[in-house]
Amino acid sequence: MEYQKEYAVTMRKIGKGKYQYRQKYPDPLLSTPDKIKLKVATVVLTKKTSQAWQQARVILKKKIAAKMSANETSSITLEQLKDYYFDYLDKQDKINKDSKYQSHYIYKSHIKIFLKDVDSSIIIENLTTPYFKRYFDKMLETKSWSYTNVRRAALWNMFDFGLGYGYLNFNPLQNFRLHKLETPQTDLNIEDKYLTDDEYHRLLTEFKKRGRNDYVDFIQFLYYMGLRVGEGGSLRVKDIVKIDGKYYANINGTLMKRHKSSGKRGEFKKKPGAKSESSNRQVYLPPEAVEIYKRHDLGRKFLFVKKTTKNPIEAGSINRYLKRIAADAKINPDKLTSHIFRHTHVSKLAELGVPLEMIKKRVGHSDSKITEEIYYHITGKARSSFEHQIDIFSKNSKFK
């Protein structure tokens, strides 16, 4: 903007140990050479020293430059977009009052690492799909696919933010796919995805031996309902509703906890919205699950809590306990994860002949390869057993 002038930085005290530095600038959308419409950029610091003044000038200059170049999409750098995106996330966290939780912390961490790995002054619109393919292929040499995919998702969301707010003309990751190396599935490793009846009862016995009826009830509830641990852990009494004499759980969120960097541990909240659109659902409670629900309807914030800390039960604690008791339960520890109860629920419904689409709706999977693999494996075994029974029937009925 040719008619832009630089205004002086001013300061005022706004609270104990807090000083607001302000600088006016012409609104790039409303100002004309004949009529300047002013806006104000601000930053709050804890000091009013000369060094603080200098720091404020640098920060304000950066903020104003961001506002003035909002429509200059062809020259924005990774570093600039990161600043805009982080500022946006901070505002969202403040609105949602969950800045200390994991919702944005992980994405921020991955973006910071990415900017250290590459040149942060790269012009984003010069980036290409092959550039990211080389970067992520190299990353996969030392990192897991899951960890690498979080980095991809973090960058994709930052670029999508830039596209939505007019900083970019396109998302450079839009056509990029992070391909996962698939390993051929066999009957053996499919069976490792769910528990047999005997394994399931052995696990519950080991939890009970250790006096952990809190885990016993929670695990049984997951098993009866086909829930993810985060879905079950975030349940509150008000999420269970009674309709025409039957009980249903409204699954509409997941468990979120404070990140360890916040300095506080053990604080949890329910994050609205389940894992995907299909995950938001209403799930019927069989009588056994209703009994468990009624035992835990004690007016607490969360339905299921650990008896030791009174914190909600989450995936980390379940996984650690499973590894600890695997040997005593005589089960391969690699098989035991918090998802296994959900997968076992799928296997039991498949044994009962429940249609695949109904199973998917119950467990909140619109498209899940593992659900389909378990289903077809179980129904395949049932078909073989059925064919064997037909053989016996025909042999015994043969006319002689």
Side-chain angles (χ1 to χ4, degrees):
M1 186 181 294
E2 295 180 359
Y3 44 88
Q4 180 183 354
K5 63 172 284 188
E6 185 172 348
Y7 292 81
V9 176
T10 61
M11 183 271 290
R12 66 189 180 99
K13 188 174 182 179
I14 59 172
K16 187 175 181 180
K18 290 185 178 181
Y19 302 91
Q20 184 187 68
Y21 294 82
R22 301 159 53 88
Q23 187 173 20
K24 296 178 181 179
Y25 67 95
D27 187 323
L29 297 178
L30 300 178
S31 297
T32 67
D34 300 323
K35 185 177 181 180
I36 305 297
K37 178 73 174 179
L38 294 177
K39 297 190 76 173
V40 178
T42 64
V43 62
V44 176
L45 300 177
T46 57
K47 296 180 180 179
K48 58 176 181 178
T49 62
S50 58
Q51 290 88 348
W53 277 90
Q54 184 58 34
Q55 181 185 3
R57 287 190 183 95
V58 172
I59 295 173
L60 292 171
K61 183 176 182 180
K62 201 173 189 181
K63 283 192 170 188
I64 292 171
K67 301 293 184 182
M68 302 302 292
S69 63
N71 294 321
E72 298 173 7
T73 59
S74 62
S75 62
I76 192 170
T77 67
L78 286 167
E79 182 70 29
Q80 289 173 322
L81 184 61
K82 181 266 292 182
D83 289 341
Y84 309 155
Y85 184 51
F86 281 18
D87 184 55
Y88 167 79
L89 292 183
D90 290 342
K91 289 177 181 176
Q92 292 300 305
D93 284 339
K94 188 174 182 180
I95 292 170
N96 297 325
K97 299 180 181 179
D98 65 353
S99 60
K100 301 300 183 184
Y101 294 84
Q102 291 180 325
S103 55
H104 294 145
Y105 178 90
I106 300 299
Y107 276 8
K108 283 184 175 181
S109 298
H110 273 275
I111 291 169
K112 288 176 183 177
I113 295 171
F114 176 74
L115 264 61
K116 288 181 180 178
D117 290 344
V118 303
D119 187 341
S120 62
S121 64
I122 289 175
I123 305 299
I124 295 174
E125 295 205 353
N126 290 337
L127 294 174
T128 61
T129 299
Y131 177 89
F132 287 107
K133 179 168 177 51
R134 288 191 294 271
Y135 175 82
F136 286 113
D137 281 351
K138 183 174 179 60
M139 189 174 170
L140 284 168
E141 294 175 3
T142 56
K143 302 294 184 183
S144 70
W145 184 89
S146 297
Y147 180 86
T148 304
N149 192 46
V150 174
R151 175 98 30 103
R152 179 207 61 79
L155 293 172
W156 192 96
N157 278 277
M158 181 175 73
F159 295 145
D160 190 60
F161 158 82
L163 178 62
Y165 278 84
Y167 297 117
L168 299 175
N169 288 317
F170 67 96
N171 184 335
L173 274 175
Q174 188 65 50
N175 297 319
F176 175 80
R177 296 291 179 269
L178 184 64
H179 294 292
K180 186 175 184 179
L181 293 176
E182 299 289 347
T183 55
Q185 294 283 1
T186 66
D187 282 352
L188 178 61
N189 53 36
I190 286 296
E191 290 178 346
D192 282 343
K193 300 296 184 182
Y194 59 89
L195 297 168
T196 64
D197 289 345
D198 187 47
E199 289 173 330
Y200 173 67
H201 288 105
R202 290 205 306 266
L203 270 181
L204 293 182
T205 298
E206 291 304 323
F207 275 106
K208 195 167 185 178
K209 280 182 182 178
R210 290 160 172 78
R212 298 312 301 262
N213 287 330
D214 48 349
Y215 281 103
V216 171
D217 277 0
F218 184 63
I219 286 170
Q220 287 187 101
F221 198 83
L222 298 180
Y223 171 81
Y224 291 137
M225 302 287 290
L227 304 182
R228 299 176 178 89
V229 172
E231 293 172 343
S234 69
L235 281 176
R236 302 157 300 185
V237 171
K238 67 180 181 180
D239 294 323
I240 309 297
V241 296
K242 192 174 183 181
I243 304 173
D244 296 331
K246 296 180 180 180
Y247 288 85
Y248 298 85
N250 288 321
I251 307 302
N252 50 23
T254 191
L255 194 64
M256 177 191 290
K257 70 175 180 178
R258 279 183 180 268
H259 197 274
K260 60 185 179 181
S261 68
S262 69
K264 293 184 179 181
R265 301 295 297 274
E267 293 189 20
F268 294 81
K269 69 178 292 185
K270 181 170 184 173
K271 180 181 179 182
K275 185 176 181 182
S276 63
E277 185 176 348
S278 61
S279 298
N280 291 293
R281 63 202 189 278
Q282 193 172 74
V283 183
Y284 167 69
L285 275 70
E288 292 75 14
V290 174
E291 289 179 12
I292 295 172
Y293 152 67
K294 289 183 176 179
R295 282 202 297 274
H296 291 263
D297 182 3
L298 302 174
R300 296 179 297 229
K301 181 178 179 180
F302 294 103
L303 195 60
F304 296 101
V305 300
K306 289 180 272 190
K307 73 173 188 178
T308 51
T309 63
K310 305 305 179 186
N311 291 328
I313 300 175
E314 30 83 28
S317 61
I318 286 280
N319 285 325
R320 287 190 293 273
Y321 225 113
L322 287 173
K323 302 302 181 188
R324 194 184 311 165
I325 67 176
D328 290 335
K330 297 181 174 56
I331 302 175
N332 181 353
D334 293 336
K335 177 175 181 174
L336 295 179
T337 70
S338 60
H339 266 305
I340 201 156
F341 309 109
R342 174 179 171 80
H343 293 162
T344 304
H345 182 80
V346 171
S347 75
K348 301 307 291 184
L349 294 186
E351 284 180 6
L352 293 171
V354 177
L356 177 59
E357 288 308 311
M358 291 187 68
I359 295 175
K360 285 183 176 181
K361 286 182 179 179
R362 181 167 174 81
V363 300
H365 271 159
S366 60
D367 181 21
S368 170
K369 186 175 181 181
I370 186 63
T371 297
E372 292 177 358
E373 287 175 341
I374 291 173
Y375 179 84
Y376 290 124
H377 175 70
I378 294 294
T379 53
K381 289 201 303 181
R383 184 175 62 249
S384 297
S385 176
F386 172 73
E387 290 169 353
H388 178 63
Q389 290 172 324
I390 291 294
D391 289 343
I392 295 174
F393 156 73
S394 61
K395 182 178 180 181
N396 292 339
S397 304
K398 185 176 180 181
F399 179 74
K400 298 180 181 178

